[in-house]
């Protein structure tokens, strides 16, 4: 068992309350004291008592002779060997030491750890052999001396000993090392086994020294939640605890702290929002109180005004009744006074009559008086009161006041909402999205949205009015008519009533998809003229044409180009030659864009046109393919069949659509050998009552069958050059060249040039076709211009 200063560091970190130092002092006498470890309190290293225990430090170790050192080593070796030979009891020694220093019960655990640590150190030393006991003791003594010197030096530095003492100890350590080395090599005859024991003891001593120096915690006890050393996990109280590497534990704790910080920040943000909301509620309570106070005041004033009005009305009625009673009583009183005066007058006259002595005179006057009295007494006198003194019981009608008082609620009726103008692209062909707002703090339970179609007539009473109730400030109305205007207005409702309606706003639905006229499409190698028609009754604002170029590998409708703001129902589009395009059209108005029309496929391989039915002679028929014309009879070309204003009437002919594209255009006509015909080009204003080629507005090739041969004429203004064609053509190619101002005819079967008209075309021309005998002409368009049509 090694003896070194500061051997109790293995368990100091778990307690950190008290420190002990172990040392093997050199015995001064041969007393019978217990030999072994002697523990000294660490406080002694900073006091004068330290020099009583280690008197050699006071005088310095440098004065000690080499013999004293060897004697000390020998004595130490004997002390170490003696316990090993007699069966040294380490537990008993530890108990005696604890009793000697009066360690209380709370130190028992520390002593147990110390005992385990000492057993571990002792187990590292190899067992002593009799033949090498002296060598072993020497090696042990050397290790002990070196370790003791080293630890003593370290303890001295920690307690603040002056530099001179430290230098003296370093010198003593160096001399001790030299003496140990000389004592080892002075004993000759070391065996290989002895040498191995020596180096093992040195390795153990160095390892223990390293364990003492590494006091920093390097692992983390997950059970106790504290940093510990790896030694504590192997031999200490944390042996059965779950541990983790300190860096990983630090990262884990940092991550946990970061999570808690995030939660704390979220809670702070939430509490701030709650506080802000409470502030808003506080302000809202104040505002609602002000509104309710104003509402109560208004209703109170209304009630007081109604009561005052009722009071004035009742008071006025009461005064009128008083006036009427007084007038009636006054009239009755006047009448009674008059009657009383008449009675008094008659009484006085009667009394005077009784005083008359002349009997004759008395009789005359008495007869008259009797008549007067009888007439007066016959009159009925109304002695009843004309009116009673009591007044009618009048009660003020407070029902209106009660109604006003009952209408004082906590929630006033809302104000009128404000409906928003129509937003762009807020409509489809059958639906509209209407939005509105309430620019007040009134409480609203729902909204009542009303709408009806806008009529162009003055009186729109017949239009159906629709009503919806919604909770939000927006609503999408469906099942509407495309491209139609609707009038909307909205009111707000709550428990107190309904608000006045908002101002009316006019919304319009999106248009219906246009319909492209497939038979009206004209195209060439670098352009196309597309026509369509609207399906809506009301006009639209504009149209948008969308193009998607197709390839052999990809046939998806990917929009490559859009042409917007087209005011009319046709557009001229510039395209690339030898390509395929899908073209569709959308209609636009204030409400938004319609759905895409059905797409049409256009090939830019050649010129395509259609036959204008409005120009066809009544006897000329267009078959189902749209490019084959036929005539069955020619007995009376000027027949009485109905004709259009633009139709041919004399020549059984028809015009193709205008070719409005500059450049070269090529098409072919398949003819029958026994059919007489005329084919070529003509201006739009070519006479409809004449023949093709007979005027200066048309250029044509004519085929006539004579008894002797097939005759071919190339007519313009009724004139033709003298040309003989030996091989009757069955498929005639026509090349229109606007740039070079010429029209050429070819026998397409044999690539033979027949004739060319050179003329300056002031306008774009139409293809023209005519039959002079019953037969059929088949027209082929969209053909690439053959290379053999190039003329010098």
């Amino acid at each position: 068992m090694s003896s070194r200063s500061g051997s109790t560091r293995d368990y100091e970190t778990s307690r950190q309350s008290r420190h002990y130092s172990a040392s093997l002092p050199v015995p001064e006498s041969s007393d019978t004291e217990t030999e072994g470890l002697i523990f000294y309190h660490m406080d002694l290293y900073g006091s004068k008592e330290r020099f009583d225990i280690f008197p050699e430090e006071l005088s310095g170790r440098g004065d000690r002779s080499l013999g004293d050192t060897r004697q000390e080593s020998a004595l130490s070796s004997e002390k170490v060997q003696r316990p090993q030979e007699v069966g040294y009891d380490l537990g008993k020694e530890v108990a005696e030491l604890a009793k000697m220093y009066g360690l209380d019960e709370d130190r028992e655990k520390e002593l147990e750890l110390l005992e385990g640590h000492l057993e571990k150190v002792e187990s590292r030393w190899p067992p002593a052999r009799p033949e090498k006991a002296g060598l072993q003791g020497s090696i042990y003594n050397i290790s002990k001396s070196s370790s003791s010197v080293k630890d003593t030096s370290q303890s001295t530095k920690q307690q603040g000993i002056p530099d001179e003492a430290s230098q003296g100890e370093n010198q003593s350590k160096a001399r001790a090392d030299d003496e140990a080395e000389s004592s080892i090599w002075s004993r000759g005859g070391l065996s290989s086994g002895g040498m191995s024991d020596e180096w093992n003891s040195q390795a153990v001593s160095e390892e223990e020294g390293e364990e003492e120096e590494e006091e920093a915690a390097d692992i983390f006890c997950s059970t106790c939640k504290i940093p510990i050393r790896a030694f504590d996990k192997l031999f200490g109280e944390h042996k059965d605890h779950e541990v983790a590497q300190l860096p990983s534990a630090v990262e884990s704790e940092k991550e946990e702290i970061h999570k808690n910080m995030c939660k704390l920040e979220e809670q702070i943000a939430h509490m701030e929002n709650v506080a802000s909301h409470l502030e808003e509620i506080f302000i809202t309570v104040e505002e609602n109180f002000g509104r309710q106070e104003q509402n109560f005041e208004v209703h109170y004033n209304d009630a007081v005004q109604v009561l005052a009005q009722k009071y004035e009305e009742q008071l006025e009625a009461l005064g009128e009744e008083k006036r009427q009673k007084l007038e009636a009583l006054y009239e009755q009183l006047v009448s009674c006074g008059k009657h009383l005066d008449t009675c008094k007058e008659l009484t006085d006259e009667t009394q005077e009559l009784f005083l008359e002595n002349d009997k004759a005179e008395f009789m005359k006057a008495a007869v008259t008086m009797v008549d007067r009295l009888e007439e007066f007494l016959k009159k009925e006198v109304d002695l009843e009161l004309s009116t009673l003194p009591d007044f009618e019981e009048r009660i003020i009608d407070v029902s209106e006041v009660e109604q006003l008082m009952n209408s004082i609620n906590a929630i006033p009726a809302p104000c009128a909402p404000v409906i928003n103008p129509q937003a762009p692209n807020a409509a489809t062909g059958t639906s509209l999205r209407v939005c509105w707002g309430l620019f007040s703090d009134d409480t609203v339970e729902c909204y009542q949205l009303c709408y009806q179609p806008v009529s162009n007539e003055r009186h729109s009473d017949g239009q159906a009015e629709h009503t919806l109730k919604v909770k939000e400030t927006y609503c999408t109305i469906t099942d509407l008519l495309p491209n139609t205007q609707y009038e909307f207005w909205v009111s707000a409702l709550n428990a107190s009533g309904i608000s006045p309606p908002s101002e009316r706003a006019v919304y319009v639905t999106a248009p219906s998809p246009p319909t492209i006229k497939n038979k009206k499409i004209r195209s060439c190698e670098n352009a196309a003229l597309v026509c369509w028609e609207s399906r809506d009754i009301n006009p639209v604002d504009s149209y948008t044409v969308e193009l998607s170029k197709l390839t052999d590998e990809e046939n998806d409708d990917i929009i490559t180009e859009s042409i917007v703001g087209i005011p009319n129902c046709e557009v001229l589009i510039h395209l690339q030659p030898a390509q395929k395009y899908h073209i569709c059209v959308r209609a636009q108005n204030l409400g938004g864009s319609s759905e895409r029309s059905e797409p049409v496929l256009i090939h830019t391989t050649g010129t395509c046109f259609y036959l204008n039915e409005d120009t066809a002679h009544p006897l000329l028929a267009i078959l189902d393919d749209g490019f084959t014309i036929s005539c069955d009879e020619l007995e009376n070309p000027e027949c009485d069949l109905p004709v259009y204003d633009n139709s041919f009437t004399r020549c059984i002919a028809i015009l193709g659509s205008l070719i409005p594209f500059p450049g070269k255009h090529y098409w072919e006509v398949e003819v029958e050998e026994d059919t007489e015909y005329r084919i070529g080009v003509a201006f739009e204003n070519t006479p409809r009552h004449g023949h093709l080629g007979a005027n200066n507005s048309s250029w044509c090739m004519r085929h006539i069958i004579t008894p002797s041969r097939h005759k071919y004429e190339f007519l313009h203004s009724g004139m033709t050059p003298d040309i003989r064609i030996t091989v009757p053509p069955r498929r005639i190619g026509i090349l229109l060249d606007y740039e070079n101002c010429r029209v050429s005819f070819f026998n397409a079967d044999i690539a033979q040039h027949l004739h060319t008209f050179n003329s300056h075309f002031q306008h774009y021309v139409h293809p023209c076709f005519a039959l002079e005998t019953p037969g059929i002409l088949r027209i082929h368009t969209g053909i690439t211009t053959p290379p053999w049509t190039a003329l010098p």
Side-chain angles (χ1 to χ4, degrees):
M1 179 175 64
S2 67
S3 173
R4 61 191 183 277
S5 172
S7 62
T8 59
R9 293 182 183 176
D10 293 336
Y11 66 93
E12 285 172 6
T13 55
S14 63
R15 303 294 297 184
Q16 295 294 331
S17 61
R18 307 175 91 182
H19 299 274
Y20 301 93
S21 176
S23 176
L24 285 174
V26 178
E28 299 296 337
S29 64
S30 58
D31 296 337
T32 60
E33 296 177 358
T34 303
E35 296 187 11
L37 294 173
I38 298 177
F39 287 79
Y40 297 97
H41 199 281
M42 288 298 292
D43 297 339
L44 296 175
Y45 284 92
S47 63
K48 294 182 179 180
E49 285 79 357
R50 177 174 61 86
F51 299 106
D52 296 337
I53 301 172
F54 304 102
E56 66 276 7
E57 292 185 4
L58 185 62
S59 59
R61 296 183 183 179
D63 299 335
R64 298 174 62 183
S65 63
L66 181 60
D68 295 338
T69 304
R70 291 178 179 176
Q71 183 180 2
E72 180 183 350
S73 300
L75 292 174
S76 299
S77 176
E78 292 177 359
K79 291 174 66 178
V80 173
Q81 290 177 1
R82 189 180 298 114
Q84 293 177 353
E85 293 174 356
V86 300
Y88 178 72
D89 190 354
L90 180 62
K92 183 178 180 181
E93 180 70 18
V94 172
E96 291 178 358
L97 290 174
K99 183 177 180 181
M100 180 185 301
Y101 287 93
L103 297 176
D104 50 6
E105 294 181 357
D106 60 346
R107 297 298 180 180
E108 291 182 359
K109 192 172 183 180
E110 297 179 358
L111 293 176
E112 291 177 1
L113 293 175
L114 177 61
E115 181 181 355
H117 181 60
L118 294 177
E119 289 178 356
K120 174 185 174 184
V121 174
E122 185 180 6
S123 64
R124 294 181 181 179
W125 293 93
R129 289 180 291 184
E131 65 273 15
K132 298 180 181 179
L135 178 61
Q136 231 177 4
S138 299
I139 296 173
Y140 176 79
N141 192 19
I142 293 170
S143 302
K144 183 265 309 176
S145 301
S146 176
S147 177
S148 177
V149 172
K150 178 180 178 182
D151 295 336
T152 303
S153 176
Q154 291 178 354
S155 302
T156 304
K157 291 180 181 180
Q158 292 176 359
Q159 298 297 329
I161 302 300
D163 294 341
E164 290 81 4
S166 300
Q167 292 176 359
E169 290 182 5
N170 292 336
Q171 293 175 0
S172 300
K173 178 182 178 182
R175 284 196 300 271
D177 293 343
D178 294 341
E179 291 173 2
E181 184 177 359
S182 61
S183 65
I184 293 173
W185 293 107
S186 63
R187 302 172 184 270
L190 290 176
S191 63
S192 60
M195 184 64 69
S196 176
D197 293 340
E198 175 186 355
W199 289 112
N200 288 337
S201 63
Q202 292 179 355
V204 169
S205 178
E206 293 176 359
E207 182 178 356
E208 291 176 353
E210 293 177 357
E211 291 177 357
E212 292 174 2
E213 294 176 358
E214 295 180 1
E215 297 180 358
D218 52 359
I219 60 176
F220 180 76
C221 179
S222 302
T223 305
C224 299
K225 302 295 182 181
I226 58 172
I228 62 173
R229 297 176 303 163
F231 180 82
D232 296 332
K233 167 62 180 172
L234 296 176
F235 305 102
E237 60 181 349
H238 305 280
K239 183 176 181 180
D240 298 330
H241 294 178
E242 183 180 356
V243 297
Q245 293 296 327
L246 191 58
S248 61
V250 170
E251 294 298 327
S252 178
E253 289 299 323
K254 287 182 178 180
E255 183 178 357
E256 188 68 23
I257 292 174
H258 178 70
K259 291 180 180 179
N260 292 333
M261 287 296 295
C262 293
K263 293 180 180 179
L264 185 60
E265 291 177 358
E266 292 178 359
Q267 188 173 4
I268 291 173
H270 178 67
M271 294 305 298
E272 289 178 351
N273 292 335
V274 171
S276 177
H277 181 65
L278 290 176
E279 292 178 359
E280 294 177 357
I281 295 299
F282 183 86
I283 296 173
T284 303
V285 168
E286 293 289 344
E287 293 176 352
N288 290 339
F289 171 77
R291 286 198 301 270
Q292 292 305 317
E293 184 180 15
Q294 183 180 3
N295 185 34
F296 282 132
E297 184 178 357
V298 169
H299 282 76
Y300 171 76
N301 293 334
D302 292 343
V304 170
Q305 184 178 359
V306 170
L307 285 174
Q309 183 178 358
K310 294 290 184 182
Y311 171 77
E312 294 293 339
E313 291 177 356
Q314 293 296 332
L315 186 61
E316 183 180 356
L318 185 63
E320 180 66 20
E321 184 179 1
K322 172 187 174 183
R323 185 186 63 79
Q324 292 177 359
K325 285 180 178 293
L326 292 178
E327 288 180 356
L329 291 173
Y330 179 76
E331 290 178 359
Q332 189 175 11
L333 182 61
V334 170
S335 177
C336 182
K338 291 179 178 181
H339 189 76
L340 182 60
D341 292 341
T342 303
C343 288
K344 289 180 178 181
E345 181 181 356
L346 290 176
T347 300
D348 293 341
E349 290 180 0
T350 302
Q351 291 176 357
E352 291 177 358
L353 180 63
F354 279 103
L355 297 177
E356 181 66 40
N357 295 325
D358 188 358
K359 295 181 179 179
E361 292 293 331
F362 174 79
M363 288 302 295
K364 291 180 181 179
V367 173
T368 304
M369 180 59 66
V370 170
D371 293 338
R372 288 180 61 189
L373 289 173
E374 289 179 355
E375 183 179 359
F376 177 75
L377 292 175
K378 287 181 180 178
K379 293 181 180 179
E380 293 182 359
V381 180
D382 188 7
L383 300 179
E384 295 182 0
L385 293 175
S386 60
T387 181
L388 297 176
D390 298 332
F391 284 85
E392 180 183 355
E393 187 69 21
R394 295 183 179 275
I395 300 175
I396 298 178
D397 185 10
V398 294
S399 61
E400 187 175 356
V401 178
E402 292 178 354
Q403 184 178 0
L404 286 174
M405 297 302 294
N406 293 332
S407 65
I408 302 177
N409 297 322
I411 302 175
C415 300
V418 177
I419 196 164
N420 299 340
Q422 184 173 3
N425 301 320
T428 65
T430 58
S431 66
L432 282 171
R433 181 181 175 87
V434 183
C435 302
W436 59 89
L438 187 68
F439 296 97
S440 66
D441 296 330
D442 297 335
T443 302
V444 176
E445 295 180 358
C446 64
Y447 295 93
Q448 179 176 289
L449 179 64
C450 303
Y451 67 95
Q452 65 181 9
V454 176
S455 176
N456 294 329
E457 301 177 359
R458 291 185 178 181
H459 303 285
S460 58
D461 298 336
Q463 297 291 338
E465 181 177 317
H466 305 273
T467 302
L468 298 174
K469 285 190 176 181
V470 294
K471 294 288 187 180
E472 297 81 8
T473 57
Y474 60 88
C475 181
T476 300
I477 299 93
T478 58
D479 298 330
L480 303 178
L481 298 176
N483 198 30
T484 303
Q485 291 182 340
Y486 288 87
E487 196 174 34
F488 291 89
W489 62 97
V490 63
S491 300
L493 292 86
N494 62 13
S496 299
I498 185 171
S499 72
S502 66
E503 295 291 334
R504 300 198 174 196
V506 177
Y507 281 52
V508 59
T509 54
S512 301
T515 302
I516 298 178
K517 300 178 180 180
N518 294 332
K519 295 183 178 181
K520 302 289 185 178
I521 295 177
R522 289 159 280 177
S523 63
C524 63
E525 293 182 353
N526 52 17
L529 182 64
V530 182
C531 302
W532 61 86
E533 61 182 358
S534 174
R535 295 165 51 188
D536 298 318
I537 300 176
N538 299 323
V540 300
D541 296 340
S542 64
Y543 296 93
T544 298
V545 175
E546 298 176 350
L547 289 77
S548 56
K549 183 165 64 173
L550 306 179
T551 60
D552 295 336
E553 297 81 8
E554 182 181 6
N555 289 325
D556 297 333
D557 287 347
I558 301 177
I559 304 301
T560 58
E561 183 180 356
S562 295
I563 305 173
V564 300
I566 303 172
N568 303 319
C569 291
E570 66 177 17
V571 64
L572 180 63
I573 309 171
H574 295 282
L575 305 174
Q576 297 178 1
Q579 299 294 333
K580 292 186 295 184
Y581 291 89
H582 264 165
I583 297 180
C584 58
V585 184
R586 295 178 185 266
Q588 304 279 345
N589 67 1
L590 181 63
S593 175
S594 71
E595 298 294 330
R596 297 170 61 184
S597 66
E598 290 295 329
V600 295
L601 182 62
I602 294 180
H603 297 265
T604 56
T605 54
T607 301
C608 294
F609 56 86
Y610 64 92
L611 298 178
N612 191 348
E613 298 181 4
D614 295 340
T615 63
H617 190 277
L619 296 177
L620 194 66
I622 302 175
L623 301 187
D624 294 338
D625 61 359
F627 293 96
T628 301
I629 60 175
S630 65
C631 180
D632 296 334
E633 58 179 350
L634 296 176
E635 296 180 357
N636 186 13
E638 296 181 1
C639 58
D640 297 331
L641 294 175
V643 295
Y644 299 101
D645 295 338
N646 200 26
S647 300
F648 286 93
T649 57
R650 185 175 182 183
C651 179
I652 305 176
I654 187 174
L655 295 180
S657 59
L658 186 70
I659 301 178
F661 315 114
K664 296 181 180 180
H665 306 279
Y666 178 82
W667 65 93
E668 294 179 352
V669 181
E670 186 177 351
V671 299
E672 295 178 349
E673 189 175 356
D674 57 349
T675 301
E676 296 182 357
Y677 53 83
R678 299 184 185 215
I679 56 176
V681 296
F683 286 138
E684 172 68 29
N685 60 355
T686 188
R688 301 297 191 263
H689 300 287
H691 290 278
L692 296 176
N695 47 62
N696 59 357
S697 60
S698 58
W699 299 259
C700 67
M701 171 183 175
R702 181 186 182 190
H703 174 232
I704 305 173
I705 302 176
T706 63
S708 60
R709 62 185 179 91
H710 292 274
K711 183 178 180 181
Y712 295 91
E713 298 177 344
F714 296 90
L715 299 171
H716 177 62
S717 299
M719 301 179 62
T720 178
D722 186 10
I723 298 176
R724 292 181 178 269
I725 299 176
T726 57
V727 179
R730 299 293 303 273
R731 194 179 182 98
I732 302 171
I734 303 174
L735 177 64
L736 173 62
D737 190 351
Y738 281 120
E739 295 179 356
N740 296 315
C741 301
R742 58 190 181 185
V743 179
S744 302
F745 297 88
F746 300 89
N747 186 343
D749 292 332
I750 59 176
Q752 179 185 15
H753 174 249
L754 302 179
H755 180 69
T756 297
F757 290 102
N758 292 302
S759 178
H760 179 69
F761 300 111
Q762 298 178 352
H763 308 285
Y764 290 118
V765 297
H766 297 255
C768 57
F769 311 92
L771 287 170
E772 296 185 347
T773 60
I776 294 176
L777 295 178
R778 294 183 175 87
I779 304 161
H780 300 274
T781 61
I783 303 173
T784 304
T785 303
W788 40 262
T789 58
L791 299 178

